[in-house]
Amino acid sequence: MSTPSASLTFVPWVRQGVATAINSPDTLTATPHAVVDISVALAVNAQAASSVSVPIRLRGPADVIGIDANQVIRMDPHPGTTDYEPTYFPCIEFDRPDYPWLFTPASADAKSKLRPWMCLVVVRKQAGVTLGTVVNTPLPMLQITGPAKPASELPDLADCWAWAHAQAASTDNSYLAVKTILGGPPQSSLSRLVCPRVLVADTDYIACVVPTFELGRRTGLGTPVTEADLTTAATPLAPAWTLKQGQVQLPVYFSWEFRTGAGGDFQTLASRLHPELLPATFGRRAVSIATPGFLTQTPLPANAELNVEGGLQPTGRGATAEPWDPQVAQNFRNGLITVINAPALNLIANAAADPLLAPPLYGSWHAQKNQATQSALDWFNELNLDPRLRTVAALGTKVVQEHQEALMASAWDQAEELFAVNQRMRQLQLSLAVNESIHARHISKMSDEAILRVAAPAYSRLRATSGNVATMINGSTLPMPAVNAAMRRLGRHRGPMSRRITSQGGPQRVQAQSWVARLSYGFPAPIPPLFFLLGSDNELSPSSGMRSYQSTTAAAVAAQPKRPFWIYPDGQIPAVWPGLPFTNPSFPADDASAADFRRTAIEHLTAVNPGRLPPRVPTRPLVPLSMTPQIMSSTQPRPAFKALADSTLTLGANATPAVVPGATALGVESVMIAPKFPQPMYETLRDLSQELLVPGLENIPPDCIVGLETNRRFVESFMVGLNFEMGRELLWRGYPTDQRGTYFDQFWGVAPSSPPRPDIMPLDLWGTRVLGSANGQPPREQFVMLMRSALLRRYPNALIYLTRAVVVNGVRTPSMVDTDELFPVFSGAMQPDVSFFGFDITPAFALTGNGNGYYLVIQEHPTEPRFGLTVTPPATTIHVNANAAIPTGQPIPSATPPLQWGLNAAQMAAITRRLPVRLAIHASLLIEP
């Protein structure tokens, strides 16, 4: 049924759904039938105890007036291609594996041949060939008339079965495995139409998906199709055209245009590539420093010049700067440092003096320095005192100046929510100031007992040594209701109740005699119950009400007017009350009424609430003084406001609080943001001038591959200048940032197959490292393959990677193990046909790593198969005929069972598929040993 090829399996046809019920084989002629009527058994009830047969008619080619463009997943060549290889057959792929046979009213014959209801034609753009819309037609129309000839532009529909097939991505080509894939996830299967036209170089073509049956052609052009045309016509499945027609009009379901190039497929272009070893002077350009302008007393020699390097350099050069004449360097730096340090020295001499304008000190904000020091060896002084590095940093400045509007627009977009955030933070700052003032002026001056009462509503949220304050009070002598809002209102020292008591001759209420103080200080356990002063008389009233309340009931206590009374739990022995004039009160024994009341109350409470908890027994006294520090600490406004700010505001990686260096953070500071620009910045430098990025690029010959390495000193110098100038631009525009952010950290960018990582670490963390060192940066110089060829322009999906070299039978060869492959971590392109790929290994490791080094592999993408002949057909051949003999010299790939030309569509796909090409070059041919 199927024919395997590499990891792909081709299937000559696919039928899914109700179409599998079609059992009339395709005779490959015009005389089978145009419609398919079948019967479907439907259950009469849910238990399917009985069923009825319902006749239905399947849709056929006469019912199609268009296709879903979303079904198209790939076109080869891509629309608008201008240099397509004439050795390949154009094709189009659909998402559904059964799409080409969806409306074919027949089943496959004994050889698995089945005509599709549509096919792909490719016609040459010429006089007599037009494609456009026509009035009263549902589809665009392709018209071929004189002087163009349909026989030369259209394939023979007699073998249209050969150029439509399905594909399953599986190494297992068994029937069940392929069937499972075709009915499984859509990414593992597809269908394809191939046009077997032999293309001509440098020619414009139009590719069109058109119907293969006459009924489909008529429907697409708006011509009515009757029932008789479907059921009683002599040739209901006549082809949409014949090669004998003088002109043809075809409806077009889908179309695109392309142009062929001068020739050269992947193998041809790859075979032209050759390694090239570049001279040591590559990647440098000479710059004169003879007349810098600031040296008037000690001029430099007239021939004084330095070599400014590029971002890529020959392997082996490393991170060490090229030495220059010590005396020239001394004189140049002396003059330069005088100029660039002048603004800082001017402010030291006179803080009120007007500022001086001088060349920039690149990275001054990040290094927190405003003067350069000639004797220092860190990155800041090295960059600012070396004219070669200052030149590179100035390129970063130039990039920001040219793109400042776009960069600022992006920066403001990133700060879109910053204004609302800072408005909220300013409100919190005001609230914090007000609350700290209130806390200092009022809360902190309260007595211990007053603090207990004022803080009561927040007990459950105030942390203590064990749990919260509420937990501590619940286990103490102070009942929680004693500090609730109602009791605070009743027991205010200057409140209505205290005034009434005082007005009736009672004692003056003072803070030390409050119920909180009485319940909190100095009582032996168990603590006597609460004392209510109802009058000025200090005698106790031994009423039956008091005695009855000694039971577990909550009955009201009847007291004589102006008589104080005590309430004791059952069995409680009265204790001495400190500070009161009476001690050891005693009660007479219960009389009969009291005993009856006690018994009745107990029975009542048992019936009403049998699960009632026993009375609360305090375990320890609560000393307000011991609680004051905890409450005062917990009610400090600053931690609370900081927690509020943290809970309502989440800062991103590029946002920081605006804290003045050396000051203590409050937690509610305004927010600053350092905008981030993830674009690979080599592109902006390349757009300025490719010569700046890679000096000497024009000297690289065509069709060659060279081995290079990254120049970290160049990259870091450029990125410092870029970030420094961006900080100045943000300051000028009033952007909320402190100019110390690293806004750009991607120079080379990141390859799609590589995880994101920066090319530099944050500049404010560089410390005293030197430029190009591995301290705090990517760990090494990286190996880069640079190629100048039209290969990647024509094959943009080609795979570029390194694979480990292994020795097999004494011969060094590329490894075929997936785990031995290394893919690029960055890539880029330059005009007109230069591409480069960086790998996360050193050139030395690529040369000798793992004992045998690595191969550079350039491989055609294996998941986008292409079709065509590997031999050149006769000049008179326009379309390859599957019903004729195989073209002379065309090889047939080995397979089990053997492949046969013209057997079915799967066999034709396997024979004409062009296998991916893989070119491997050992690193020793690219790297100078």
Side-chain angles (χ1 to χ4, degrees), residues 485-728:
M487 290 300 296
R488 287 200 306 273
R489 287 193 297 269
L490 288 174
R492 286 179 297 165
H493 297 106
R494 291 182 293 274
M497 181 175 291
S498 297
R499 291 197 303 270
R500 187 179 305 125
I501 293 174
T502 302
S503 65
Q504 294 180 5
Q508 178 70 35
R509 295 290 302 278
V510 295
Q511 185 173 356
Q513 300 295 326
S514 70
W515 70 88
V516 173
R518 289 295 180 180
L519 291 174
S520 300
Y521 284 111
F523 292 98
I527 301 300
L530 186 64
F531 170 74
F532 289 88
L533 184 62
L534 301 182
S536 59
D537 193 345
N538 290 332
E539 297 180 4
L540 297 177
S541 176
S543 66
S544 59
M546 288 192 298
R547 293 196 301 275
S548 63
Y549 193 79
Q550 296 175 38
S551 67
T552 56
T553 182
V557 177
Q560 296 179 2
K562 300 184 180 181
R563 293 284 185 176
F565 61 93
W566 296 93
I567 303 174
Y568 283 88
D570 240 358
Q572 176 67 51
I573 299 175
V576 176
W577 283 48
L580 295 179
F582 49 87
T583 59
N584 297 327
S586 59
F587 297 97
D590 283 342
D591 55 17
S593 298
D596 291 341
F597 184 86
R598 190 197 316 275
R599 182 175 59 258
T600 302
I602 291 174
E603 294 175 355
H604 172 73
L605 290 176
T606 302
V608 172
N609 188 7
R612 185 184 184 192
L613 295 176
R616 170 181 173 272
V617 179
T619 58
R620 64 182 184 279
L622 180 71
V623 181
L625 181 61
S626 66
M627 297 296 301
T628 301
Q630 300 179 51
I631 295 177
M632 291 294 294
S633 174
S634 300
T635 56
Q636 286 291 335
R638 186 171 299 182
F641 275 84
K642 182 180 184 303
L644 176 60
D646 292 341
S647 64
T648 57
L649 177 64
T650 301
L651 296 181
N654 58 337
T656 56
V659 181
V660 178
T664 303
L666 301 178
V668 292
E669 289 80 11
S670 300
V671 177
M672 299 185 304
I673 185 173
K676 300 292 289 187
F677 304 96
Q679 300 89 342
M681 297 311 296
Y682 90 90
E683 295 178 347
T684 58
L685 180 59
R686 175 200 62 192
D687 295 341
L688 280 180
S689 173
Q690 294 184 165
E691 179 68 17
L692 298 175
L693 180 61
V694 185
L697 183 66
E698 69 281 358
N699 297 324
I700 297 179
D703 296 321
C704 78
I705 299 177
V706 297
L708 302 173
E709 68 180 9
T710 55
N711 186 351
R712 191 157 48 203
R713 285 169 55 84
F714 177 94
V715 171
E716 293 178 2
S717 300
F718 177 80
M719 298 301 283
V720 171
L722 193 71
N723 283 282
F724 177 75
E725 181 62 21
M726 190 65 210
R728 296 207 299 179

Side-chain angles (χ1 to χ4, degrees), residues 5-34:
S5 178
S7 60
L8 304 179
T9 299
F10 299 124
V11 182
W13 57 270
V14 174
R15 274 284 164 76
Q16 295 175 338
V18 72
T20 57
I22 302 175
N23 56 12
S24 301
D26 190 359
T27 62
L28 307 181
T29 65
T31 58
H33 43 75

